[in-house]
Amino acid sequence: MAYIRNSLARSDLYVARYYFKKGAYVAAVNRAQSAIEEYREVPAVEEALFILYESYDRLGLNQLRDDTRRILEKNYPNSAFLYPNNASKNIVTGK
């Protein structure tokens, strides 16, 4: 069951990444929030939080961006999304 839930969450994140890459940041936020609310206890939530963080940053919503970063740091202190030096490539931005 956990595998299925994570797969469903990952499909939402696929769409959120697409919106993000196209510059539709509000749509990316909505899709990432949906994944977080519907699939709370799955590994894909880490990426969903990062998509929120990046989208809020691009939208200039600094308070929401900072709040999301704090949540991400608290729940995923070694996140490859937040600390790209620990990962070879950022999944969302492709850099």
Side-chain angles (χ1 to χ4, degrees):
M1 185 70 166
Y3 173 78
I4 294 169
R5 290 178 56 75
N6 194 49
S7 293
L8 292 169
R10 288 170 46 109
S11 69
D12 275 355
L13 293 181
Y14 179 82
V15 175
R17 280 193 304 270
Y18 172 80
Y19 287 146
F20 183 86
K21 288 177 182 178
K22 294 295 182 183
Y25 303 120
V26 173
V29 164
N30 289 336
R31 188 59 78 131
Q33 283 178 336
S34 172
I36 293 167
E37 290 171 7
E38 291 181 37
Y39 313 105
R40 293 182 187 272
E41 304 284 328
V42 298
V45 169
E46 178 182 4
E47 184 179 356
L49 285 167
F50 185 74
I51 291 171
L52 280 177
Y53 168 75
E54 287 288 317
S55 297
Y56 288 147
D57 186 50
R58 301 282 168 88
L59 290 168
L61 301 171
N62 297 335
Q63 183 65 44
L64 289 172
R65 178 201 62 204
D66 295 344
D67 291 345
T68 303
R69 183 177 179 99
R70 279 191 290 275
I71 292 167
L72 191 53
E73 287 175 335
K74 181 172 174 51
N75 291 300
Y76 304 97
N78 298 318
S79 176
F81 294 101
L82 274 181
Y83 307 107
N85 293 335
N86 297 339
S88 61
K89 185 175 180 182
N90 183 301
I91 294 172
V92 175
T93 61
K95 297 179 182 177

